[in-house]
Amino acid sequence: MKNLLSISDLTPNEILSIMDEADRFAEALKGREVKKLPTLRGRTVFTMFYENSTRTRASFETAGKWMSADVINISASSSSVKKGESLRDTALTLKSIGADALVMRHPSSGAAQHVANFIGDTAVINAGDGSNQHPTQALLDATTLRRQRGDLSGQHVVIVGDILHSRVARSNAQLLNALGADVTFVAPPTLLPIGVENWGVRVSHDLDAELPSADAVMMLRVQAERMNGGFFPSHREYATRYGLSKARHAMLKPDAVVMHPGPMLRGMEINYSVADAPNTVVLQQVTAGVHVRMAILFQLLIGGHSASEPETHA
Ligand code: CP
């Protein structure tokens, strides 16, 4: 792998290799007072965020720093992008400064692929592009789910909400299908993309009917910033039909888990107290995100498996 642009570029073995690597990093960090591994000493990682982010940006920065890389954050809102500099010129500038990897979030689908096409030997990691892909989110979701429930094969994962605008749903459907999980999308018809029947998932509009058989339910944020029309009558009606209320939470099997990529809109797609329930693994997802991003930076910048190179985790 030179870049990580899309889950569709990965084989099931490559997906599992990243998840296994993430678990090895988690193990290597366990009980350490000083979380610093020498793995990426001398490597330089730039994060380029053209959209807001808390989790993805902070966990990439943490992942790089815990592996001793130099991590520099570039935010579009405080960079020369504001003066009119193009994405191409910005990316080439950071490469010329010495970037070994660019971690990119951009509102336009295909932006990371576009940079990868001209950037040469600098690694490009897609940290979310429009409504297209969020591969590191899907990898951390799968890692969390496997840590909670074991092998993903045959597990029923119900993904609920704004599928239309969700790069998380697209990446998760591809990854979960690759690992043999059964995926059901639950959404109002207006929030489903054209061609969803070709995504290899089941589609339902009845959340109550799906919850009793779910091993995991993944609630999605309603992405108001990508909506330019009325996709549902009101927030209240959306919450009533598609929100994970206390009553719906009680329909889940005792060992089912509740997931959310964040940021959560409590009271909209998820009830306030359900967001803090013992089987809600939102914060475990965040923690797994650091391990997964360590694994990805390691595999792209060093290559191979760290288990055979114990000094990288020493
Ligand atoms: N899940 C996710 O991508 O969160 P951020 O937008 O905070 O990075």
Side-chain angles (χ1 to χ4, degrees), residues 49 51-59 105 127-128 134 136-137 140-141 167-168 221 260-263 285-286 293:
F49 275 62
E51 257 188 4
N52 295 342
S53 167
T54 298
R55 280 146 286 271
T56 311
R57 178 160 145 170
S59 63
R105 171 167 292 190
H134 196 346
T136 63
Q137 180 69 44
L140 77 85
D141 289 340
R167 54 198 177 208
V168 175
R221 182 173 67 87
H260 195 305
Q285 289 172 262
V286 175
R293 286 159 181 144

Side-chain angles (χ1 to χ4, degrees), residues 135-151:
T136 63
Q137 180 69 44
L139 285 158
L140 77 85
D141 289 340
T143 300
T144 306
L145 193 50
R146 190 174 70 163
R147 287 177 182 175
Q148 297 291 325
R149 296 192 44 91
D151 190 356

Side-chain angles (χ1 to χ4, degrees), residues 5-295:
L5 302 176
S6 170
I7 291 295
S8 61
D9 295 336
L10 301 177
T11 65
N13 278 343
E14 286 170 333
I15 292 168
L16 289 169
S17 155
I18 293 169
M19 292 165 62
D20 292 345
E21 193 82 73
D23 285 345
R24 282 195 287 275
F25 274 112
E27 199 54 42
L29 288 166
K30 205 177 272 176
R32 274 181 180 253
E33 200 175 324
V34 178
K35 293 183 177 62
K36 203 76 166 176
L37 309 173
T39 320
L40 295 183
R41 201 164 34 205
R43 310 284 167 144
T44 304
V45 177
F46 281 88
T47 70
M48 299 168 64
F49 275 62
Y50 287 71
E51 257 188 4
N52 295 342
S53 167
T54 298
R55 280 146 286 271
T56 311
R57 178 160 145 170
S59 63
F60 263 115
E61 183 174 353
T62 303
K65 287 183 171 171
W66 281 1
M67 292 192 291
S68 305
D70 295 305
V71 184
I72 297 109
N73 295 316
I74 304 293
S75 173
S77 60
S78 58
S79 73
S80 289
V81 171
K82 276 285 180 198
K83 300 175 190 165
E85 188 165 61
S86 69
L87 175 59
R88 180 184 171 88
D89 287 340
T90 303
L92 288 172
T93 297
L94 300 182
K95 178 184 171 71
S96 301
I97 288 172
D100 294 300
L102 297 176
V103 177
M104 274 189 60
R105 171 167 292 190
H106 201 280
S108 299
S109 296
Q113 176 70 66
H114 170 64
V115 170
N117 289 345
F118 63 74
I119 203 72
D121 58 0
T122 302
V124 179
I125 302 172
N126 185 358
D129 63 327
S131 53
N132 180 37
Q133 280 282 327
H134 196 346
T136 63
Q137 180 69 44
L139 285 158
L140 77 85
D141 289 340
T143 300
T144 306
L145 193 50
R146 190 174 70 163
R147 287 177 182 175
Q148 297 291 325
R149 296 192 44 91
D151 190 356
L152 271 57
S153 177
Q155 295 207 33
H156 183 203
V157 181
V158 178
I159 303 180
V160 187
D162 184 1
I163 309 282
L164 177 65
H165 300 103
S166 179
R167 54 198 177 208
V168 175
R170 186 179 295 262
S171 292
N172 262 294
Q174 290 173 351
L175 187 155
L176 292 165
N177 278 335
L179 297 191
D182 297 324
V183 182
T184 302
F185 284 167
V186 180
T190 49
L191 288 178
L192 285 166
I194 291 168
V196 70
E197 60 278 5
N198 301 319
W199 287 30
V201 302
R202 232 165 41 78
V203 175
S204 164
H205 307 300
D206 184 352
L207 182 53
D208 293 358
E210 302 301 329
L211 290 175
S213 65
D215 296 304
V217 56
M218 190 181 293
M219 306 307 296
L220 299 175
R221 182 173 67 87
V222 174
Q223 300 194 27
E225 74 276 20
R226 298 190 209 282
M227 295 184 184
N228 54 9
F231 287 86
F232 45 84
S234 67
H235 285 196
R236 196 165 165 182
E237 183 156 327
Y238 179 90
T240 303
R241 289 208 54 190
Y242 296 100
L244 191 60
S245 62
K246 280 189 193 175
R248 290 203 171 107
H249 185 246
M251 293 178 181
L252 289 167
K253 296 187 287 193
D255 60 347
V257 295
V258 176
M259 308 178 77
H260 195 305
M264 288 187 284
L265 300 181
R266 292 180 189 236
M268 176 82 171
E269 66 260 4
I270 190 164
N271 169 271
Y272 278 81
S273 58
V274 171
D276 298 320
N279 67 333
T280 297
V281 296
V282 170
L283 296 179
Q284 288 90 328
Q285 289 172 262
V286 175
T287 303
V290 180
H291 305 145
V292 161
R293 286 159 181 144
M294 289 175 85

